[in-house]
Amino acid sequence: METVFHISNCPPKYQVKYASCTLLDGALTWWNSYKRTVGVDATYSMTWKTLIKLMTEVYCPRNEIQKMETKLWNLTVKGNDLTAYNQRFQELTLLCSKMAPKEGDKVEKYIGGLSDRIQGNVIVAEPTRL
């Protein structure tokens, strides 16, 4: 979905509206019910990240979340592929929000997955956010 947002230059304020129009079957029924309960303005003013979290709570069984948390816990840079590490880290922290609820937790986990050579340079910079 994020690729579609990028390709179509969909501004953040329309992402939830756009994405919700692609829902089918049970997901569409759930969304329409949610929209009636919370209100149209509230649903369409939420951010894309909020919608992802909401749908994760509704559609991701706990055991699947635990598998993703294990992947996040064990995530490290493979070789020198920081791009793949960054992308996977972002995906997993988005889906495993309870594992790194604060920005400082995310920074600490991110640094922990870096190779020793890179880790030292990053620690010296004392980053406070990703």
Side-chain angles (χ1 to χ4, degrees):
M1 193 86 260
E2 290 170 359
T3 301
V4 172
F5 293 156
H6 178 73
I7 291 170
S8 63
N9 293 318
C10 184
K13 71 178 186 176
Y14 296 123
Q15 290 176 350
V16 169
K17 187 179 247 184
Y18 185 88
S20 65
C21 289
T22 66
L23 298 175
L24 300 171
D25 304 323
L28 180 59
T29 302
W30 166 80
W31 175 251
N32 287 332
S33 174
Y34 181 79
K35 194 167 50 171
R36 276 191 304 276
T37 303
V38 176
V40 173
D41 291 339
T43 54
Y44 291 137
S45 66
M46 78 171 73
T47 65
W48 171 242
K49 286 185 179 184
T50 301
L51 178 59
I52 289 174
K53 286 180 184 179
L54 183 62
M55 292 188 77
T56 300
E57 290 170 8
V58 173
Y59 287 102
C60 289
R62 184 67 198 138
N63 65 326
E64 292 300 318
I65 296 291
Q66 288 172 335
K67 287 178 190 175
M68 288 187 286
E69 287 173 345
T70 300
K71 288 178 183 178
L72 177 58
W73 186 259
N74 295 314
L75 184 65
T76 58
V77 174
K78 305 289 187 253
N80 289 323
D81 195 353
L82 281 172
T83 302
Y85 175 73
N86 290 339
Q87 181 176 351
R88 189 64 177 146
F89 184 84
Q90 291 292 340
E91 291 169 353
L92 289 171
T93 54
L94 188 63
L95 294 170
C96 305
S97 57
K98 292 179 183 172
M99 231 178 121
K102 297 178 185 170
E103 191 69 16
D105 299 330
K106 288 179 189 175
V107 170
E108 187 176 315
K109 176 60 196 120
Y110 178 84
I111 293 171
L114 296 172
S115 64
D116 292 341
R117 182 176 53 86
I118 299 169
Q119 206 175 64
N121 292 330
V122 176
I123 291 170
V124 168
E126 298 180 0
T128 57
R129 18 178 251 158
L130 288 176

